[in-house]
Amino acid sequence: EAGVAQSPRYKIIEKRQSVAFWCNPISGHATLYWYQQILGQGPKLLIQFQNNGVVDDSQLPKDRFSAERLKGVDSTLKIQPAKLEDSAVYLCASSTLAGATRAQYFGPGTRLLVL
Amino acid sequence: AQSVTQLGSHVSVSEGALVLLRCNYSSSVPPYLFWYVQYPNQGLQLLLKYTSAATLVKGINGFEAEFKKSETSFHLTKPSAHMSDAAEYFCAVSRKTSYDKVIFGPGTSLSVIP
């Protein structure tokens, strides 16, 4: 079974530029999550999708971050414009059903550096 | 609001020694609890989870954790550390409701000394 795929693995941009990250979840997984992991901290949920609908985006900075999940499969997370404090690892995860009892499977992450 | 604290941002043990990583949670209702491991440049992997069945939970790679309600703790242990256990470990908590998000602790970095 293929795991969660993410690209790119690394990205360096200057502040005020835009950037996009892509995630392909495990086949058949209805729930998809985007997390932000700042160095030295645990992951923080940015947005959770159930199929192609948003379940929770309460911690997504909506003035600069946006996310979509096309046809309930792949997802894209965008930052525009980027700030220095956006430097972090962006993790995508998926699970079979919503609810915390279902294990979340994580991708390798995209490491973003904003200069 | 739920939260997780992990005592010790960095723990070092000798190969073959007991591993003990501490986790305390705060939750207004009985929660679900998790331990995840993150190897360098990789995503997180679920080690084990507590979902209100047995209080002693066994996970992968020889790890186990015990849920103690009176102490609001969910410490992770392994009887004998292996070099391959060196990684970042995250404790996490969630309420028992559908769609509820998982709150992660700050993590503990485990080093294993040969």
Side-chain angles (χ1 to χ4, degrees):
Chain A
E1 178 182 75
V4 176
Q6 290 188 247
S7 67
R9 291 295 310 275
Y10 306 91
K11 190 74 176 179
I12 300 174
I13 62 173
E14 296 187 349
K15 60 183 179 182
R16 291 187 290 273
Q17 286 187 324
S18 62
V19 65
F21 312 128
W22 173 83
C23 172
N24 181 240
I26 293 173
S27 178
H29 281 195
T31 310
L32 184 146
Y33 314 79
W34 281 104
Y35 289 89
Q36 180 191 59
Q37 186 178 20
I38 293 173
L39 186 65
Q41 299 181 19
K44 181 184 80 172
L45 180 69
L46 292 176
I47 188 167
Q48 177 180 338
F49 291 96
Q50 179 70 13
N51 296 309
N52 59 354
V54 175
V55 173
D56 186 338
D57 64 356
S58 58
Q59 297 191 93
L60 185 73
K62 298 180 185 63
D63 59 333
R64 299 185 300 106
F65 286 64
S66 64
E68 61 180 2
R69 189 177 185 194
L70 302 175
K71 300 181 181 179
V73 182
D74 293 7
S75 179
T76 302
L77 176 69
K78 297 180 181 178
I79 307 175
Q80 181 179 13
K83 293 184 175 181
L84 297 177
E85 58 261 37
D86 298 332
S87 295
V89 177
Y90 291 85
L91 295 165
C92 180
S94 68
S95 63
T96 52
L97 290 169
T101 57
R102 280 73 177 177
Q104 295 185 27
Y105 296 84
F106 284 80
T110 296
R111 191 174 299 272
L112 174 67
L113 178 60
V114 182
L115 302 176
Chain B
Q2 301 171 94
S3 65
V4 174
T5 57
Q6 294 184 241
L7 184 62
S9 59
H10 187 87
V11 171
S12 291
V13 300
S14 298
E15 190 174 17
L18 171 71
V19 175
L20 171 60
L21 304 182
R22 300 178 187 274
C23 172
N24 288 89
Y25 67 91
S26 173
S27 179
S28 57
V29 297
Y32 290 141
L33 293 160
F34 310 83
W35 275 99
Y36 281 84
V37 61
Q38 185 176 34
Y39 299 103
N41 297 317
Q42 296 185 27
L44 280 70
Q45 179 183 7
L46 181 67
L47 273 179
L48 49 81
K49 60 184 179 183
Y50 167 75
T51 57
S52 75
T55 57
L56 183 61
V57 182
K58 295 186 183 299
I60 62 172
N61 302 337
F63 284 93
E64 62 182 36
E66 186 173 8
F67 171 69
K68 292 186 176 180
K69 184 178 178 180
S70 61
E71 299 177 7
T72 60
S73 68
F74 191 57
H75 302 331
L76 182 70
T77 61
K78 182 175 181 178
S80 176
H82 192 273
M83 296 298 294
S84 61
D85 295 327
E88 190 83 17
Y89 291 80
F90 294 94
C91 183
V93 63
S94 177
R95 292 184 304 177
K96 296 179 183 177
T97 55
S98 296
Y99 305 108
D100 208 10
K101 61 189 171 194
V102 176
I103 306 298
F104 287 86
T108 296
S109 177
L110 176 66
S111 298
V112 181
I113 305 167

